[in-house]
Amino acid sequence: MSDRVSEEEQDLHHMKSAAAEFYRLNRVPQELERALNQLFAHRPEDVYGYLADYFKNLCAAPRISRLRGREVYDARGQLSIEAEVLCIVCNKEKSMSSAAVSSLSGPKEALLDQERAADVKTAAQWINEPLNNMLKGQSPCEQSEVDHILSNFFMARYLEDKDIRNKEKEELRSPSEPELVPSSPLPAQTKDKKSFDKGKKSTTAEKQVPPAEPPEAVLPGSSAIGSVSLAVAKTGAQTQGVPLYRYIAALKNGEDPPQFHIPVPLITLLSCGKTSPGKLSLLEEVILIPRAGLQVKQIITMTLELQKEMMRIMNTSTKHGAVLSDSGVLAVSYERPEQPLDLITEACTGAGLALGTEIHLALNCAASELMDYTKGKYEVAAGVLKTPDELVDMYQTLVSKHPAVVALIDPLRREDREQWEKLSNVIGDSCSLLSDISYKSKAPPLPGVRGHILKLTQETTVSDLICITSKQQGSVVMGTTCSEPCSGDSFSDIAVGLGLDFVKLGGLSGAERMTKYNRLISIEEELSQQGILASKEQHPPPLFSEKAQQQC
């Protein structure tokens, strides 16, 4: 009996010794003593809430335990991918955040249903299997390291896909057949009517337009990269207990900046592009640029009043039909580019707004979609064709007649470099040229371009955005796509955190857009209350300064 008691006493002694050593190694007695001392000193009303907060600060930093990819639907009801990050927090697995970015195949976002389904399926497989294994155990606060892993994974898949495609081409091509270089159809040579005289053929032909640059290949599943990167950034911000815009600003600047400014929202008013009901195809978007110094709420209120006046004017005319476009604005039926500008001019007068002072305009021309390669001309309206040089002349006339237009976005194809330079020379003092680089981020700069439109899509990581905007500081506009996630407001945080001067959010309708505008308002109010909202400087035309152009 005594031997059994002795064994039990020994076991208890060993257990106490092991417990004491465990507590000593983890500094439990010291932390308990400090917690109790501070508890008594503060004597809070919620004793255990105070202790919970105290010990929460001593918890191990969260680590990524799992990624989860799932299919969701975007703002247009199309399949998209969403990435969710789960971490071990206080010894339990917890869902931290999720994110989705647009899945695009090019400027027109024209994926067939089967292709989109395959793209989303591949993205989900990437997230749930290889990326899940690669990022397991990583700190969500190491954004640069996470994005490096994601980019390396994507590049490996891209090279594999490229190798497979090259082998397939080699197998299809006979040994004696020369290699084919893909290019756009050459434009047909046209004959000048004045050159025909008494049956003699013309000896001159219109200058051929350069063939289209081959589109950058979009690898199926690539949207997994951007989605995971953004989800990890949101998790990092949540882990550190700061808003996403502060987190991104610290990533970009190496520290939390002393002040923030709110990007000026560029609001789409009208659409007269290829999908609009009228003959005019040239103006994909007519965009309002408010004067600097206004709060976001004031800008939205002013724009809504202007839109009401525009609707009143259109309702009095039976000539112009209108439908709601994907960008949340009215797609209006017009025949000439002057007509929507005349409408806005009349509406500004009716609303008591000084066009050219209180507001300016930008025109998103999306000209690359208008080229008819069989004729070598841009079809700016149904049956109205313009050579690149004629299009330059038309822009010059349009801007001269409407000096409130201070920016043209993609007025020409990238291939018409000569005309980009010519256009900049004739209107550059009063009107800036902007180029969308979402699909050509590594392409050489275009002559005369003073700013760029950048969208968060595909394999673009948060680190990529920081890198691009750092290199081209002061010359980047963040822009949304038509297929934005319905409930995402991270876009506004990203624009503020990157320190951008302008942000393009689309029209004032639709939950996916108004969520972003509301978030921008919320951030502005928060910064103002904290006393760290920087005053806004005036931005006279052109939209970007000569200094910003040199940085490009």
Side-chain angles (χ1 to χ4, degrees):
M1 182 72 177
S2 60
D3 292 340
R4 185 165 44 186
V5 172
S6 177
E7 288 179 4
E8 291 177 353
E9 289 177 348
Q10 287 181 359
D11 291 341
L12 182 60
H13 174 74
H14 289 317
M15 185 181 297
K16 288 181 177 180
S17 298
E21 181 65 12
F22 175 79
Y23 296 145
R24 185 187 67 80
L25 290 174
N26 289 281
R27 298 182 54 81
V28 172
Q30 294 92 327
E31 293 298 345
L32 282 173
E33 182 179 3
R34 186 178 292 112
L36 294 174
N37 289 338
Q38 291 188 17
L39 175 66
F40 183 73
H42 290 92
R43 296 173 185 172
E45 183 177 345
D46 183 358
V47 172
Y48 295 104
Y50 182 91
L51 289 173
D53 286 339
Y54 179 90
F55 287 112
K56 186 177 180 180
N57 293 326
L58 300 177
C59 293
R63 294 277 170 178
I64 296 174
S65 60
R66 186 158 49 105
L67 299 180
R68 187 156 54 199
R70 57 174 171 267
E71 297 179 0
V72 295
Y73 291 93
D74 63 24
R76 295 195 296 183
Q78 296 177 329
L79 275 177
S80 187
I81 188 69
E82 182 179 67
E84 181 183 10
V85 176
L86 296 92
C87 292
I88 298 297
V89 181
C90 296
N91 299 312
K92 294 181 179 179
E93 189 176 62
K94 179 182 177 182
S95 175
M96 300 294 289
S97 64
S98 61
V101 301
S102 299
S103 175
L104 308 180
S105 61
K108 287 306 290 180
E109 309 172 29
L111 277 177
L112 299 176
D113 288 342
Q114 288 183 338
E115 293 175 335
R116 184 175 292 275
D119 175 53
V120 172
K121 183 178 180 181
T122 301
Q125 187 270 327
W126 283 7
I127 295 172
N128 292 322
E129 296 177 19
L131 294 180
N132 176 62
N133 295 332
M134 290 178 176
L135 295 183
K136 187 174 183 179
Q138 286 284 333
S139 168
C141 297
E142 296 293 337
Q143 188 70 38
S144 179
E145 178 64 23
V146 168
D147 286 344
H148 183 68
I149 293 172
L150 293 173
S151 296
N152 284 347
F153 171 83
F154 174 79
M155 183 54 64
R157 301 292 82 73
Y158 174 80
L159 293 176
E160 287 177 4
D161 183 75
K162 184 178 180 180
D163 187 51
I164 292 172
R165 291 179 182 274
N166 288 338
K167 288 180 180 179
E168 289 176 348
K169 289 179 181 179
E170 290 294 332
E171 292 173 358
L172 292 174
R173 190 167 56 241
S174 61
S176 59
E177 184 181 355
E179 183 176 357
L180 297 176
V181 179
S183 63
S184 298
L186 291 177
Q189 294 186 2
T190 59
K191 299 178 181 179
D192 189 344
K193 293 180 180 179
K194 295 181 181 179
S195 65
F196 284 88
D197 185 24
K198 297 181 180 180
K200 294 182 179 180
K201 293 184 177 181
S202 172
T203 57
T204 61
E206 289 187 358
K207 183 169 60 175
Q208 293 183 354
V209 298
E213 296 176 356
E216 290 186 357
V218 175
L219 186 63
S222 57
S223 55
I225 305 300
S227 298
V228 171
S229 177
L230 179 55
V232 170
K234 292 171 68 175
T235 301
Q238 185 178 347
T239 298
Q240 294 188 2
V242 297
L244 181 59
Y245 67 87
R246 279 184 175 272
Y247 185 74
I248 290 179
L251 289 175
K252 181 180 180 182
N253 301 296
E255 60 181 0
D256 198 9
Q259 285 189 318
F260 292 82
H261 70 267
I262 298 296
V264 176
L266 308 182
I267 303 177
T268 306
L269 292 174
L270 290 173
S271 175
C272 304
K274 289 189 71 174
T275 58
S276 62
K279 294 182 178 180
L280 182 63
S281 300
L282 181 63
L283 304 184
E284 182 70 24
E285 293 177 290
V286 182
I287 303 166
L288 180 145
I289 306 173
R291 69 174 176 84
L294 295 177
Q295 295 178 349
V296 179
K297 270 186 179 180
Q298 294 174 314
I299 294 170
I300 292 176
T301 301
M302 176 185 68
T303 306
L304 289 173
E305 289 299 319
L306 177 60
Q307 287 181 332
K308 287 179 183 178
E309 184 64 18
M310 290 166 58
M311 285 298 300
R312 186 192 67 78
I313 295 171
M314 284 190 289
N315 288 336
T316 60
S317 172
T318 57
K319 297 179 181 179
H320 309 304
V323 296
L324 194 65
S325 72
D326 284 335
S327 57
V329 297
L330 288 178
V332 189
S333 174
Y334 282 124
E335 297 181 359
R336 303 185 310 277
E338 297 87 358
Q339 291 176 298
L341 301 181
D342 291 339
L343 168 66
I344 293 173
T345 301
E346 183 181 352
C348 283
T349 301
L353 295 171
L355 184 60
T357 304
E358 290 184 86
I359 64 173
H360 292 85
L361 300 174
L363 306 180
N364 182 8
C365 306
S368 61
E369 302 167 17
L370 307 179
M371 174 58 71
D372 185 337
Y373 286 98
T374 62
K375 297 180 175 66
K377 296 182 179 181
Y378 293 93
E379 188 170 14
V380 298
V384 180
L385 299 169
K386 300 284 185 182
T387 65
D389 287 321
E390 290 172 342
L391 192 56
V392 169
D393 294 337
M394 191 190 76
Y395 287 134
Q396 184 179 9
T397 302
L398 192 66
V399 171
S400 176
K401 183 179 177 182
H402 296 275
V405 176
V406 297
L408 299 179
I409 302 172
D410 289 339
L412 297 152
R413 300 179 310 141
R414 291 190 59 86
E415 296 82 355
D416 294 322
R417 298 178 64 85
E418 179 184 335
Q419 284 73 27
W420 277 90
E421 185 171 9
K422 180 180 177 182
L423 183 59
S424 176
N425 290 336
V426 296
I427 68 172
D429 290 339
S430 62
C431 185
S432 295
L433 305 184
L434 279 64
S435 172
D436 191 331
I437 60 172
S438 302
Y439 315 99
K440 293 282 185 179
S441 59
K442 298 180 181 178
L446 290 166
V449 169
R450 285 184 171 170
H452 300 97
I453 307 292
L454 180 64
K455 302 184 182 84
L456 177 56
T457 61
Q458 302 290 18
E459 71 274 11
T460 306
T461 65
V462 171
S463 296
D464 290 334
L465 292 177
I466 291 173
C467 179
I468 293 171
T469 54
S470 296
K471 290 179 180 178
Q472 300 176 352
Q473 186 67 37
S475 67
V476 174
V477 177
M478 284 289 289
T480 59
T481 70
C482 293
S483 53
E484 289 292 315
C486 288
S487 59
D489 61 0
S490 303
F491 188 92
S492 299
D493 283 76
I494 294 171
V496 174
L498 292 174
L500 302 183
D501 292 325
F502 300 93
V503 61
K504 179 175 169 291
L505 298 176
L508 294 177
S509 69
E512 70 280 3
R513 283 172 291 275
M514 295 315 298
T515 296
K516 296 173 178 61
Y517 281 112
N518 287 332
R519 177 56 183 159
L520 208 58
I521 292 172
S522 176
I523 295 173
E524 185 174 46
E525 291 175 346
E526 180 179 312
L527 294 174
S528 178
Q529 290 170 1
Q530 296 175 2
I532 55 175
L533 179 62
S535 60
K536 298 178 180 178
E537 298 178 358
Q538 297 293 326
H539 53 84
L543 188 61
F544 293 105
S545 65
E546 193 70 27
K547 180 180 178 182
Q549 182 187 21
Q550 294 171 357
Q551 291 178 342
C552 296

